């Protein structure tokens, strides 16, 4: 009788632990996040409603764009960063990352760091260098040097600076791929990369770069691509090999990821990401 009770109790505790673990499990060990750029107009009109929509769609984290320089996000300046953080958390969401203009970081870094700390950010991402397509490689290298210096300052504040690519970094200048040159110039201590998966439309695969530059990434923007439709589609319905991508992402150092497509496609991506856990 004692043995039966002991086994039953152990089974109960094991089942309870498994249930608890399942309840708190995150897809691929990371919460499902989304970039708020696709819902910027909604945010400018109804922040609380938009946050509620994102949370009810299954998102757990969001990535913002700097209210100081992104027009549709400017209404958020009516609140302190602490008040904005409280609203985000009240909706059941977290925010640890935000996009910034390169110019605003170079001109107002201390102010942006103070705001970021009030908001609870751990990552500040340079959205783009804003370099024209006609730029020379020396222009890109000069921007990298400036970014390294900014990253050294954010690191002292306990915040990781990152760089977000677009398609133009996957062009060549004098036979050299811009993106590879950037990765060679960035100081790994101060600049981590946020990879835009949609460059698969140009033939470049995120997994290849996570493998090529282990530990050099902090996050990625999740988009899938359909050659037939010639547009971004919900995660899992395009040509990206997501199992391979997320496996390589761990080697790359990815800490979080943000789905970034139109709202309907973002919502449709959640069930696929959940089943990957």
């Amino acid at each position: 009788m004692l043995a039966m009770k002991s086994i039953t109790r152990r089974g109960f505790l094991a089942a309870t632990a498994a249930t608890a673990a399942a309840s708190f499990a995150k897809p691929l060990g990371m919460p499902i996040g989304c970039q708020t750029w696709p819902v910027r107009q909604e945010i400018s009109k109804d922040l609380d409603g938009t946050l509620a929509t994102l949370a009810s769609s299954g998102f757990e984290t969001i990535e913002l764009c700097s209210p100081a320089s992104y027009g549709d996000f400017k209404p958020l300046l009516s609140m302190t960063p602490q008040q904005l953080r409280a609203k985000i958390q009240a909706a059941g969401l977290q925010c640890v990352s935000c996009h910034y203009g390169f110019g605003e970081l170079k001109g107002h870094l201390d102010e942006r760091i103070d705001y970021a700390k009030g908001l609870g950010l751990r990552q500040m991402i340079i959205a783009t260098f804003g370099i024209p397509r006609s730029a020379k490689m020396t222009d890109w290298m000069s921007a990298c040097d400036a970014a390294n210096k900014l990253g050294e300052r954010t690191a002292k504040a306990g915040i990781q600076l990152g760089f977000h690519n677009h398609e133009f970094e996957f062009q060549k200048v004098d036979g050299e791929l811009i993106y590879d040159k950037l990765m060679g110039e960035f100081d790994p201590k101060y600049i981590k990369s946020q990879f835009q998966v949609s460059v698969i439309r140009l033939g470049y695969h995120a997994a290849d770069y996570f493998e090529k530059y282990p530990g050099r990434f902090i996050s990625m923007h999740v988009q899938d691509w359909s050659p037939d439709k010639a547009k971004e589609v919900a995660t899992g319905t395009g040509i990206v090999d997501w199992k391979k991508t997320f496996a390589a992402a761990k080697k790359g150092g990815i800490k979080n990821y943000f789905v970034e497509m139109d709202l309907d496609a973002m919502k449709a991506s959640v069930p696929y990401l959940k089943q990957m856990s």
Side-chain angles (χ1 to χ4, degrees), residues 98-262:
C98 183
H99 271 210
Y100 292 87
F102 194 37
E104 71 171 309
L105 291 182
K106 289 189 291 184
H108 308 279
L109 186 60
D110 290 338
E111 297 169 53
R112 298 300 180 266
I113 288 175
D114 287 343
Y115 188 94
K117 293 174 74 172
L119 189 55
L121 299 184
R122 297 195 295 272
Q123 304 162 17
M124 298 173 70
I125 309 296
I126 299 171
T128 176
F129 282 153
I131 293 177
R133 291 181 181 273
S134 60
K136 297 179 180 180
M137 193 65 81
T138 52
D139 298 319
W140 287 98
M141 296 301 96
S142 177
C144 283
D145 182 59
N148 286 334
K149 293 174 181 176
L150 294 174
E152 185 174 4
R153 291 170 62 186
T154 64
K156 291 178 180 178
I159 298 174
Q160 177 66 59
L161 190 63
F163 176 78
H164 173 77
N165 68 274
H166 291 82
E167 292 186 3
F168 33 83
E169 289 87 3
F170 285 85
Q171 307 297 323
K172 292 185 177 181
V173 174
D174 298 328
E176 295 183 287
L177 191 70
I178 295 172
Y179 193 79
D180 284 328
K181 290 290 289 184
L182 296 182
M183 293 300 284
E185 190 70 14
F186 285 142
D187 188 322
K189 297 193 299 289
Y190 301 129
I191 304 291
K192 300 293 185 183
S193 292
Q194 180 183 75
F195 200 87
Q196 180 94 335
V197 179
S198 63
V199 295
I200 193 171
R201 75 180 72 180
L202 302 178
Y204 296 97
H205 298 258
D208 293 341
Y209 285 88
F210 298 153
E211 292 282 350
K212 185 176 183 178
Y213 299 107
R216 298 288 303 277
F217 298 86
I218 193 164
S219 60
M220 64 176 165
H221 276 189
V222 170
Q223 306 105 345
D224 216 331
W225 176 254
S226 169
D228 294 336
K229 297 179 180 179
K231 69 173 187 177
E232 293 176 358
V233 292
T235 309
T237 64
I239 61 173
V240 176
D241 183 337
W242 289 107
K243 184 176 181 180
K244 180 179 179 180
T245 298
F246 275 104
K250 294 180 181 179
K251 183 175 181 179
I254 295 291
K255 299 294 188 294
N256 42 41
Y257 62 93
F258 306 101
V259 182
E260 187 190 30
M261 291 173 278
D262 66 71

Side-chain angles (χ1 to χ4, degrees), residues 15-29:
T16 301
T19 300
S23 298
F24 292 98
K26 304 295 184 184
L28 305 165

Side-chain angles (χ1 to χ4, degrees), residues 25-76:
K26 304 295 184 184
L28 305 165
M30 309 173 200
I32 300 177
C34 71
Q35 229 293 343
T36 53
W37 176 255
V39 292
R40 59 193 179 279
Q41 295 180 352
E42 291 84 350
I43 281 179
S44 70
K45 299 172 185 175
D46 181 11
L47 173 64
D48 292 335
T50 305
L51 292 175
T53 295
L54 295 177
S56 65
S57 299
F59 293 106
E60 300 162 280
T61 64
I62 61 171
E63 182 178 55
L64 287 173
C65 296
S66 173
S69 63
Y70 286 77
D72 289 303
F73 292 84
K74 286 189 182 298
L76 302 185

Side-chain angles (χ1 to χ4, degrees), residues 1-13:
M1 181 66 73
L2 289 175
M4 183 179 293
K5 286 184 178 180
S6 177
I7 293 171
T8 302
R9 182 172 179 272
R10 286 199 297 270
F12 172 78
L13 292 175

